């Protein structure tokens, strides 16, 4: 004998609601959502999403990113395999017959026994804002045509970012990307918080998996820029097989516009995009005092003009505030170095990955400690950012399910599910944020918030999800 099915459902619903409410009463939520415990598995090499485009020397792995500091340039990258081919890009504005040409450059690299294809990078400059451009690559052989839409001018304009991290190339990764594409929020640019292909999980870092990843994500990143952050899976440091140059595949394949922000390395840099000033930091490059990254950030933060770009967003790979038993405190040394600056300059939001789960923090800081005063607890601080861990893209390493208990007070919402998020900046005061888990419908937000700008409307953000 058992309970009728509906009664069982009601029973579990009640238990779930009780659990939710008990936590919510304390302002903290560890989601009670229960997902199927299935291991994430990489898609096989013959998966349709890895298909090589047809045609002689057809460009593949086409991707774009911002190419300057203020959003009027785009770097177009692609790979040809049979022949070096042309690095020229032909592009034009929608409804215009005037065609432009840009010349680029080609690079190759070897990694252990792997030899890359011809990797092309061409920058399209002096683009008009808010404009749809078509572009063609593969000139002289097989031409492929794509398009992108440039951002609004730098200033107080609405704009929507997607947030994806630790994506990899598993069946779950594909699910995450599909959910992002189908999300009615319509992300216009992806802020990617590191760990792209996970090729380094294969024997000798099989770089064929960098190629498959490039073909997999082309369906999004050929049409809208992804802003790159370097994660630990981009390091590819393997001296045991003679590969001692860190970040070799990543730097050859995924350029960043770092020189435009006076950075000296592609792993830390900044861009302006519409209403946002975005600073990308490098968790795996030196960041201590006197280092190039430290000196750059020290000079960079005072340059941010919040009248011009109301929203200040920081991307990094290793999170500072994380309450999972994975990578716990790995971001601590960088937090100690830079957190006082984040509070001083009123960073609105910090997005990180690395931990393969989702978590959103309260607005907290932990900057009072001076070794002898004992003040080493995170405290509520409305000048501090909200820290969001969005490393739940779905890679083959699987979910981080083991959380520290009890949930620390700095943690507002946490759930071990694959997914992505969107940030809809509406104006200089309000931004709507939503986290989507892959098991739900495309429009469903499992965690949603209105964030208020720290300079223009620094009211207390409610800690508890509106969902
Ligand atoms: Fe990572």
């Amino acid at each position: 004998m058992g309970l009728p099915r509906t009664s069982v459902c009601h029973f579990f619903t009640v238990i779930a609601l009780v659990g939710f409410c008990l936590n919510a009463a304390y302002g903290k939520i560890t989601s009670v959502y229960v997902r199927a415990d299935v291991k994430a598995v990489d898609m096989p090499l013959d998966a349709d999403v890895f298909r090589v485009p047809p045609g002689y020397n057809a460009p593949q792995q086409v991707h774009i990113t911002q190419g300057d500091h203020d959003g009027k340039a785009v770097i177009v990258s692609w790979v040809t395999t049979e022949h070096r081919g042309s690095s020229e890009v032909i592009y034009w504005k929608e409804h215009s017959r005037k065609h432009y040409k840009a010349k680029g450059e080609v690079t190759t690299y070897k990694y252990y026994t792997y030899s890359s294809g011809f990797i092309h990078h061409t920058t399209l400059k002096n683009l008009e804002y808010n404009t749809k451009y078509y572009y063609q690559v593969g000139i002289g052989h097989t031409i492929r045509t794509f398009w992108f839409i440039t951002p609004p001018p730098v200033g107080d304009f609405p704009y929507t970012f997607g947030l994806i991290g630790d994506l990899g190339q598993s069946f779950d990764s594909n699910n995450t990307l599909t959910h992002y594409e189908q999300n009615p929020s319509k992300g216009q640019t992806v802020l990617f918080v590191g760990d792209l292909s996970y090729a380094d999980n294969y024997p000798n870092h099989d770089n064929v998996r960098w190629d498959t990843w490039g073909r997999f994500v082309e369906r999004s990143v050929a049409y809208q820029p992804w802003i790159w952050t370097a994660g630990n899976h981009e390091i590819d440091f393997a001296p045991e097989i003679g590969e001692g140059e860190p970040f070799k595949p990543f730097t050859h394949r995924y350029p960043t516009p770092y020189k435009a922000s006076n950075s000296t390395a592609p792993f830390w840099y900044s861009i302006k995009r519409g209403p946002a000033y975005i600073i990308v930091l490098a968790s795996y490059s030196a960041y201590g005092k006197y280092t190039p990254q430290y000196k750059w950030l020290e000079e960079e933060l005072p340059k941010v003009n919040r009248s011009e770009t109301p929203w200040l967003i920081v991307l990094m790979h290793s999170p500072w505030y994380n309450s999972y038993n994975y990578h716990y405190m790995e971001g601590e040394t960088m937090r100690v170095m830079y957190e006082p600056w984040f509070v001083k300059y009123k960073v609105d939001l910090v997005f990180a990955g690395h931990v393969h789960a989702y978590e959103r923090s309260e607005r907290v800081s932990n900057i009072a400690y001076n070794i002898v005063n004992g003040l080493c607890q995170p405290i509520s601080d409305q000048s501090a950012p909200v820290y969001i861990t969005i490393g739940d893209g779905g890679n083959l390493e699987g979910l981080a399910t083991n959380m520290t208990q009890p949930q620390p007070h700095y943690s507002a919402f946490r759930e071990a599910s694959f997914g992505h998020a969107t940030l809809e900046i509406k104006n200089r005061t309000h931004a709507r944020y939503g986290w989507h888990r892959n098991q739900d419908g495309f429009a469903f937000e499992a965690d949603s918030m209105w964030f208020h700008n720290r300079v223009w409307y620094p009211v207390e953000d409610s800690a508890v999800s509106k969902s």
Side-chain angles (χ1 to χ4, degrees):
M1 280 289 285
L3 288 166
R5 178 176 285 248
T6 50
S7 300
V8 173
C9 288
H10 287 148
F11 174 76
F12 283 113
T13 303
V14 168
I15 291 293
L17 284 172
V18 167
F20 185 89
C21 294
L22 280 176
N23 279 309
Y26 293 97
K28 300 181 293 190
I29 297 171
T30 295
S31 173
V32 292
Y33 181 85
V34 179
R35 77 213 61 76
D37 189 15
V38 179
K39 191 169 163 27
V41 177
D42 266 1
M43 294 179 282
L45 291 175
D46 61 356
D48 57 351
V49 297
F50 297 152
R51 203 165 34 214
V52 174
Y56 175 73
N57 210 32
Q60 57 170 272
Q61 306 173 49
V62 180
H63 55 94
I64 62 172
T65 194
Q66 184 161 319
D68 64 355
H69 201 227
D70 52 10
K72 292 170 77 175
V74 164
I75 306 171
V76 181
S77 305
W78 70 98
V79 175
T80 52
T81 54
E82 286 111 317
H83 190 275
R84 181 186 175 100
S86 171
S87 292
E88 187 173 79
V89 176
I90 296 175
Y91 60 105
W92 63 93
K93 287 191 286 185
E94 188 180 34
H95 309 306
S96 170
R97 289 191 185 164
K98 184 167 184 190
H99 284 42
Y100 302 89
K101 291 179 181 176
K103 284 238 185 291
E105 52 193 41
V106 66
T107 186
T108 61
Y109 74 93
K110 292 185 186 302
Y111 192 97
Y112 193 51
T113 58
Y114 169 92
S115 294
S116 76
F118 301 96
I119 305 170
H120 304 259
H121 302 297
T122 303
T123 303
L124 318 184
K125 298 174 182 165
N126 300 316
L127 303 171
E128 289 178 27
Y129 287 125
N130 272 328
T131 303
K132 184 171 186 176
Y133 283 88
Y134 290 89
Y135 69 97
Q136 291 183 324
V137 290
I139 309 304
H141 293 135
T142 299
I143 292 175
R144 297 182 67 202
T145 306
F146 303 88
W147 53 262
F148 59 80
I149 298 171
T150 53
V154 172
D156 185 3
F157 299 99
Y159 201 70
T160 299
F161 293 98
L163 283 312
I164 301 176
D166 304 69
L167 184 58
Q169 47 192 298
S170 75
F171 291 95
D172 294 287
S173 319
N174 195 25
N175 205 357
T176 300
L177 187 56
T178 301
H179 275 250
Y180 172 61
E181 292 170 306
Q182 300 297 326
N183 187 330
S185 291
K186 293 263 174 281
Q188 295 166 287
T189 291
V190 169
L191 304 179
F192 191 86
V193 292
D195 284 358
L196 286 64
S197 75
Y198 288 76
D200 60 345
N201 276 16
Y202 285 82
N204 303 315
H205 298 223
D206 185 359
N207 274 222
V208 167
R209 283 285 176 173
W210 273 106
D211 291 316
T212 52
W213 194 81
R215 295 198 291 271
F216 157 49
V217 296
E218 182 191 270
R219 71 185 199 234
S220 172
V221 70
Y223 298 93
Q224 63 172 252
W226 288 27
I227 307 304
W228 303 112
T229 310
N232 54 305
H233 287 277
E234 278 66 74
I235 303 174
D236 279 311
F237 177 67
E240 67 279 10
I241 55 172
E243 291 299 341
E245 181 191 337
F247 302 105
K248 191 202 275 185
F250 176 70
T251 49
H252 280 84
R253 293 169 180 273
Y254 292 95
T256 65
Y258 68 97
K259 288 178 183 164
S261 55
N262 297 316
S263 168
T264 49
F267 316 111
W268 62 89
Y269 62 99
S270 69
I271 59 166
K272 301 173 190 174
R273 197 160 184 87
Y277 200 103
I278 295 157
I279 292 178
V280 179
L281 293 183
S283 300
Y284 306 101
S285 303
Y287 46 76
K289 198 160 185 179
Y290 315 118
T291 61
Q293 182 169 201
Y294 182 100
K295 292 179 76 168
W296 177 82
L297 186 60
E298 186 178 32
E299 291 176 13
E300 179 71 7
L301 283 164
K303 291 180 193 166
V304 182
N305 176 356
R306 303 292 278 274
S307 295
E308 183 187 54
T309 47
W311 293 85
L312 178 53
I313 295 169
V314 176
L315 312 181
M316 61 182 66
H317 187 62
S318 188
W320 293 356
Y321 287 96
N322 153 40
S323 71
Y324 287 80
N325 286 319
Y326 300 81
H327 307 305
Y328 188 62
M329 288 183 73
E330 283 184 20
E332 187 66 2
T333 49
M334 184 191 257
R335 184 190 69 74
V336 170
M337 295 309 301
Y338 295 158
E339 190 182 19
W341 291 347
F342 281 24
V343 176
K344 178 180 178 184
Y345 292 101
K346 295 184 168 33
V347 173
D348 292 295
L349 296 160
V350 176
F351 294 101
H354 201 35
V355 178
H356 300 161
Y358 173 69
E359 185 163 24
R360 172 173 56 78
S361 82
E362 308 282 3
R363 289 198 185 276
V364 290
S365 69
N366 188 3
I367 55 177
Y369 184 52
N370 68 357
I371 297 183
V372 293
N373 65 8
L375 301 175
C376 52
Q377 289 283 327
I379 58 165
S380 176
D381 187 340
Q382 291 301 312
S383 292
V386 167
Y387 295 87
I388 291 173
T389 303
I390 188 85
D392 54 347
N395 69 75
L396 78 169
E397 291 180 350
L399 279 168
T401 53
N402 193 336
M403 304 169 181
T404 64
Q405 300 294 354
Q407 185 171 8
H409 67 273
Y410 60 77
S411 173
F413 184 102
R414 57 184 188 175
E415 182 180 319
S417 292
F418 292 135
H420 76 281
T422 54
L423 179 70
E424 301 171 39
I425 296 177
K426 302 293 189 186
N427 52 41
R428 70 177 183 171
T429 57
H430 286 70
R432 189 163 191 291
Y433 168 81
W435 173 67
H436 298 250
R437 69 165 84 83
N438 288 353
Q439 288 85 352
D440 296 324
F442 299 127
F444 185 82
E445 293 177 333
D447 179 37
S448 63
M449 291 286 294
W450 279 98
F451 288 126
H452 302 114
N453 189 281
R454 289 303 92 189
V455 169
W456 296 106
Y457 194 54
V459 298
E460 186 159 349
D461 291 318
S462 172
V464 180
S465 170
K466 305 292 193 301
S467 294

